[in-house]
Every structure is written in structure tokens, then in C-alpha cells.
Amino acid sequence: MADTYELDLEPGADDFAEDEMMLDDDTTAKVKSHATKRKGRGFNDHESSLSKEKFDTVDADTVGNAQRSVEGWVIIVTGIHKEATEDVVEEKFADFGEIQNITLNVDRRTGYIKGYALVEFKNYDEAKEAIDECDNTNLLGQTIHCDFAFVKGNTSSSKSHESRQSRRGRDRSKSPRRR
Amino acid sequence: MSDEFYVRYYVGHMGRFGHEFLEFEFRPDGKLRYANNSNYKNDSMIRKEVYVSKTVMNELKRIVEESEIMKEDDKLWPLADKVGRQELEIVYGDEHISFTTSKLGSLIDVQESEDPEGMRAFYYLIQDLKCFVFSLISSHFKIKPI
């Protein structure tokens, strides 16, 4: 049954132009239809609130593929040792700029660190340097991975719905083919 | 294969303040959508969306994988009732779960259920997921999501 979706496996970038909202839902629908093993009571009575209304976004402010947050640039760090502390994380990243915020969540079952942190920098350059310098490095004997947490995505915001065509055109001519 | 991943969670009830709920989803392309409707004290609906990076999606995958939730089944779990309803839908590769159950007050509800092991996996995963989403939403939008 899943074989019938074969032709959708490699959507080219230009396919996105038609209708992005449709594409959105299609991608999700496609992923769902690919699954062959289903389990649970929830398959018949689901009406999600997430498909219809307009959602707020932070205004598009991007550099490369990274999306700025309201107060700065947030990076995600994964692979953090379960006994790490906020001080350890802060020390690792303090050299790159002023850290505005660190979120280090615990595993609800074990009480240890879950393994990821969100670190917020004021400026893009600081965040970028932190990522470049710390990705695939060692922290407390484990290899950590660093990346921007938020990215541009296919659509940038529901607010800019009207200007989508023109903005899209501009994006295309301006952006280099590869980074 | 790596993109065959989707997560949605809903918790809510119909009460004297109408339909109050919290719902979020991560779509395969990284779009995170978050909705929270509480009418208590005239709070209005919060709806936020943002795209998260591959690294965020991979971390989400790891959290789901470690929970071993895909091995569980909701057939013995308490049914949704007047007090509330929870839904957890996950697509992971070729596996698709769509679980529904009642709200869980505490671990005691879990221990006393007919499937304590499965419900424990669910109980902790939900807390870890909520924690992950609230942190992402609040760090991006600078709001307190709940």
C-alpha cells in the first residue's frame, strides 16, 4: 500500500511554490500514511485544534538558515552529561559572548539532566561562533552537538501571507545556491 | 526514513470555562505548533508556531526512543472521561501510535492502573515532552506558556 507514494519522495524545491499550507499538511499526512503498524484507540476520534487557525510567529529575522528569537539567538546543545550543571554549561559557552539565558532540564523519571540545553546569546555572531567552536567537542567525557534551535523553515509566518509570493521571489534571487 | 517522524500531544477538558486545552505538535519538516486555551480569568487563546532545527528534532526523537513508548498499547489504560482527555500521537518510521486516555493526577493513578509499566512510560514521556516544548516556546517567544 505504501508503494503508491513513491513519486512523492523527492519533492524539488520548486514544488513548494504552489501552496505552502497544503504542502505542510501533505507532508504530515504522507508521513502518517507511510506507517504500516498502527496501535491505539485514537485513530477515529481525533479533531486537532492545530490545523485551522492562525498562529503567532516571531517576525522573520534570519541569518542564513537561523531564525532569531524575541530576545536573541538560541542554540541547542545535545549530548550533555547527566550530571552536568548550569555552571558547567555556562563555563563551556561563556567565552563566546554574553549568555542571556540557559535552560537545562531534568529527566522527570531519574532526576538527572535530560541531556540537552538551550543557550541564548544576544548576537548572531556569538551564537554562530559558539556552535562552530563547540559542535562535536567534549564536555565531561561526552561528545556534545550544537546547532541553532530555530530555523527559517518553509514558510516564515502566517502574518506575511499576502507578501509571500514577492518575498519568495526575492529570497530566491538573493540567496546563494549553497552555504 | 529520518523524516518519517511526527509527534502530537493534547490534554484538555470541557468545563465551566468551556473547552480548555493544551496541544502541540512537531511536524516532519520541523514546524512546532503550540496552542493553549484557558478561559480562566478571561485568558485568551495562545497560538505559537516556529520551525525547529534538525538537531532539535533529533533530540525529540531520542526522548521518544528512550521512553520506549512505541512498544506500549493503550488498550488497558483508563478511558477519557469528564475530568479530561489526553491524546498522544507519534509516527516513528513505519510505526504509528495514537493513544488516548484520561488525565492522570499523579503516579498513584499510574501504579494502580491495569498497565502500570505502559502508563509509567507514558506519564514520564509526557512530562519530558511538555518540559521540552515549554522551554522551546518560552525561549523563543519570551512568554510563560502556562
Side-chain angles (χ1 to χ4, degrees):
Chain A
M1 205 210 231
D3 290 344
T4 54
Y5 295 92
E6 223 173 335
L7 71 169
D8 286 325
L9 286 177
E10 292 174 42
D14 284 340
D15 298 344
F16 292 153
E18 281 307 309
D19 186 334
E20 288 161 15
M21 293 311 281
M22 281 299 285
L23 176 92
D24 247 20
D25 292 338
D26 280 358
T27 320
T28 306
K30 194 177 75 182
V31 164
K32 287 185 187 181
S33 69
H34 274 187
T36 49
K37 298 172 204 158
R38 294 197 169 78
K39 218 165 38 177
R41 300 179 299 214
F43 282 99
N44 296 321
D45 51 6
H46 149 239
E47 40 160 326
S48 171
S49 66
L50 298 172
S51 45
K52 315 145 198 166
E53 315 289 336
K54 296 234 168 189
F55 281 66
D56 301 335
T57 57
V58 170
D59 284 339
D61 183 355
T62 56
V63 178
N65 199 36
Q67 158 78 51
R68 188 185 191 276
S69 299
V70 168
E71 286 177 6
W73 299 83
V74 179
I75 71 171
I76 181 164
V77 186
T78 63
I80 296 178
H81 193 282
K82 65 178 185 175
E83 290 180 50
T85 60
E86 221 171 278
D87 289 349
V88 169
V89 177
E90 187 170 0
E91 201 180 313
K92 177 85 178 171
F93 292 96
D95 289 347
F96 305 104
E98 192 194 328
I99 295 172
Q100 313 211 100
N101 200 24
I102 296 181
T103 307
L104 187 65
N105 290 333
V106 299
D107 183 306
R108 297 310 166 113
R109 188 196 284 254
T110 65
Y112 286 111
I113 294 308
K114 190 69 194 172
Y116 66 86
L118 299 173
V119 182
E120 182 184 313
F121 290 93
K122 189 160 184 57
N123 302 310
Y124 172 84
D125 290 343
E126 297 167 344
K128 181 77 169 84
E129 198 190 351
I131 292 168
D132 291 345
E133 295 295 318
C134 296
D135 188 28
N136 274 314
T137 62
N138 184 41
L139 183 65
L140 302 180
Q142 289 185 195
T143 303
I144 58 167
H145 295 284
C146 309
D147 192 5
F148 283 103
F150 305 107
V151 294
K152 205 158 52 169
N154 292 330
T155 58
S156 78
S157 113
S158 48
K159 273 185 226 157
S160 59
H161 194 274
E162 317 89 283
S163 62
R164 192 175 279 161
Q165 272 326 106
S166 54
R167 196 193 68 244
R168 168 170 296 280
R170 209 179 61 213
D171 277 359
R172 263 195 196 148
S173 46
K174 259 169 116 184
S175 34
R177 277 206 74 73
R178 39 167 69 195
R179 280 182 285 277
Chain B
M1 179 65 191
S2 62
D3 286 338
E4 312 279 281
F5 187 59
Y6 172 82
V7 174
R8 183 182 65 84
Y9 173 72
Y10 163 96
V11 58
H13 67 271
M14 303 292 275
R16 53 194 276 233
F17 299 107
H19 183 204
E20 297 186 282
F21 67 92
L22 163 86
E23 186 166 23
F24 56 78
E25 70 176 355
F26 290 87
R27 297 189 178 191
D29 60 356
K31 185 190 268 184
L32 164 60
R33 283 191 150 178
Y34 173 89
N36 187 352
N37 188 38
S38 161
N39 298 319
Y40 178 64
K41 289 182 181 165
N42 296 323
D43 271 0
S44 60
M45 173 86 108
I46 297 173
R47 283 199 201 87
K48 303 285 178 194
E49 73 174 34
V50 60
Y51 280 89
V52 298
S53 65
K54 262 244 122 58
T55 307
V56 171
M57 290 301 278
N58 286 341
E59 184 65 4
L60 177 71
K61 260 183 215 175
R62 186 187 68 87
I63 291 170
V64 167
E65 202 168 285
E66 284 187 356
S67 76
E68 302 195 324
I69 194 70
M70 304 305 286
K71 293 182 186 164
E72 305 300 339
D73 198 326
D74 63 352
K75 62 178 178 244
L76 295 176
W77 299 3
L79 287 166
D81 54 23
K82 262 184 288 180
V83 179
R85 170 183 189 84
Q86 296 187 86
E87 300 172 6
L88 177 67
E89 185 179 6
I90 300 177
V91 179
Y92 199 138
D94 63 352
E95 293 179 65
H96 187 176
I97 59 166
S98 185
F99 294 165
T100 64
T101 189
S102 60
K103 283 192 190 179
L104 299 170
S106 68
L107 261 181
I108 294 165
D109 295 343
V110 170
Q111 310 295 12
E112 292 175 350
S113 74
E114 287 179 67
D115 177 21
E117 198 190 323
M119 293 225 71
R120 203 174 301 124
F122 177 80
Y123 179 83
Y124 284 113
L125 173 60
I126 293 314
Q127 293 197 48
D128 284 336
L129 286 180
K130 280 202 253 184
C131 189
F132 192 47
V133 169
F134 292 164
S135 296
L136 287 167
I137 293 293
S138 60
S139 70
H140 189 60
F141 293 95
K142 291 294 164 187
I143 55 157
K144 282 220 169 80
I146 39 165

